Amino acid sequence: AITVFNMQNNSVTHTAGANRFYLPTGLYITNDGEIFITDLGLHQVVKFSQLQFHPRDSPELILGTAFYPGNDSTHFCKPTSVVTDPQENIYVGDGLCNSRIVKFEDDGYYVGSYGKPSFDRGQPGTFGEVTDLAVDSTRAVILALDNKLLQIQVMDFFGNFYQVIDLSRYMNILKVCYSPDMDSIIILTSYGLESYMFILDPVTGIELSFISAATRTFSAITVIPGNNTVLVGDEDGMISMYRSNKMVTNEDYEDSKSVGEVEELKESLSKLSPLIHILYKPGLAEKRKKYRLRLCVDTTA
């Protein structure tokens, strides 16, 4: 199901999609408020429009064939993620079996498939798997995370691969995103009970900074554009907000030594969109006492 959460008063506004998904793994919202969800179990990608997104609504667009994996224009095999470009073309990370990126026009018309499976690291256009996708809006490229080969493939909007960012110094990389405010790539890693958020140079991949969470297991990350703000979710269902590499806590508002900073922080946070979307699988949460959180911010609200 998808839960829509109001950041300003910590309340749930509504939920949608109950019993619609089998194993949802990816959540993406466009600048126009369209909502995309990838379902690893159904082998599908579904799209809801902003105005249609209500509990009883059907998807506006469905890509892939339910419960039938494949490797062509109408079938995926365990798709992991989806993003769009400024022209509203759709890119699907497909995924854990096919090791490719599939491109569609906004109406679902198939454009092409890019990438091929390989165990050779450092080769443009080769994947062990497509773990996650993100868009570098500054350079107009797709960032394709490959946790199996520990690298990021950089692809332009025409399907040309021209760079590989080496991530072999990390392990178990779960998510990738791009912050236009920081002009940085952010990756999320998890080592057992210890998780990290690493901030990287978008061209060289050099590590610029990191945040450690010694007692939490990160599982989701999203960037709120406009003020260096990042939301991170963990497997216990807790969502934290970081701004300028600093976690925002209640103590920030109680520290009399930083009144000016807090007032600036309050003003910045008041400008945020009030809605975040949370995607999780309730059955798995109840069984494992853990949440499969995915986060996305609705900047149109």
Side-chain angles (χ1 to χ4, degrees):
I2 298 176
T3 300
V4 182
F5 183 78
N6 190 306
M7 293 170 57
Q8 294 180 342
N9 58 19
N10 293 330
S11 65
V12 173
T13 63
H14 67 276
T15 61
N19 301 318
R20 170 64 182 81
F21 308 110
Y22 189 78
L23 189 59
T25 56
L27 175 64
Y28 181 79
I29 301 179
T30 69
N31 292 332
D32 296 326
E34 295 174 327
I35 301 167
F36 287 85
I37 298 150
T38 55
D39 193 311
L40 196 76
L42 287 175
H43 308 289
Q44 285 185 320
V45 175
V46 298
K47 180 179 94 170
F48 295 89
S49 72
Q50 183 184 30
L51 297 178
Q52 291 181 331
F53 188 61
H54 298 292
R56 293 185 296 274
D57 280 335
S58 299
E60 180 181 293
L61 177 68
I62 300 177
L63 300 173
T65 306
F67 295 115
Y68 282 90
N71 189 358
D72 54 37
S73 61
T74 59
H75 295 83
F76 305 124
C77 186
K78 297 183 179 179
T80 57
S81 48
V82 59
V83 295
T84 62
D85 65 21
Q87 287 71 46
E88 300 183 354
N89 295 303
I90 304 166
Y91 301 83
V92 178
D94 180 38
L96 299 186
C97 305
N98 290 333
S99 303
R100 62 175 183 160
I101 299 173
V102 190
K103 181 179 179 180
F104 301 87
E105 294 182 356
D106 62 342
D107 60 357
Y109 180 81
Y110 174 77
V111 177
S113 174
Y114 312 103
K116 60 183 180 180
S118 174
F119 294 106
D120 296 327
R121 298 187 64 258
Q123 300 299 315
T126 61
F127 293 100
E129 66 180 31
V130 183
T131 312
D132 194 24
L133 295 179
V135 176
D136 180 340
S137 54
T138 302
R139 294 160 190 82
V141 294
I142 303 292
L143 304 173
L145 172 65
D146 185 340
N147 184 44
K148 186 172 288 186
L149 298 184
L150 299 175
Q151 61 189 19
I152 293 175
Q153 292 279 356
V154 182
M155 184 188 85
D156 65 21
F157 295 151
F158 301 99
N160 301 307
F161 294 92
Y162 63 89
Q163 183 185 3
V164 181
I165 298 176
D166 179 27
L167 301 178
S168 59
R169 59 192 180 278
Y170 305 112
M171 293 187 299
N172 196 26
I173 310 168
L174 306 177
K175 305 292 290 183
V176 63
C177 63
Y178 171 78
S179 169
D181 303 316
M182 294 185 281
D183 190 21
S184 300
I185 295 172
I186 304 175
I187 60 172
L188 208 61
T189 69
S190 179
Y191 305 86
L193 298 178
E194 191 166 358
S195 297
Y196 293 87
M197 182 167 57
F198 293 98
I199 301 173
L200 312 177
D201 182 274
V203 177
T204 65
I206 293 174
E207 185 179 314
L208 305 176
S209 182
F210 74 93
I211 295 172
S212 173
T215 60
R216 299 174 56 195
T217 303
F218 288 154
S219 62
I221 185 171
T222 191
V223 171
I224 303 177
N227 56 6
N228 292 334
T229 303
V230 179
L231 294 177
V232 182
D234 65 25
E235 289 189 351
D236 293 319
M238 178 180 177
I239 301 171
S240 301
M241 180 181 293
Y242 293 85
R243 182 171 180 268
S244 298
N245 301 343
K246 179 178 181 295
M247 184 175 179
V248 180
T249 66
N250 291 333
E251 286 71 21
D252 291 327
Y253 299 97
E254 300 170 358
D255 185 358
S256 59
K257 297 180 181 179
S258 57
V259 174
E261 179 184 349
V262 170
E263 289 304 317
E264 179 184 354
L265 178 62
K266 285 182 178 179
E267 182 180 356
S268 298
L269 295 183
S270 68
K271 297 177 182 177
L272 298 181
S273 161
L275 300 181
I276 61 174
H277 293 62
I278 305 171
L279 174 67
Y280 67 98
K281 187 78 166 78
L284 290 178
E286 295 166 3
K287 181 178 180 180
R288 303 179 184 176
K289 305 299 182 183
K290 299 290 184 183
Y291 289 86
R292 297 177 61 87
L293 279 178
R294 296 295 181 266
L295 298 172
C296 218
V297 176
D298 188 351
T299 57
T300 64

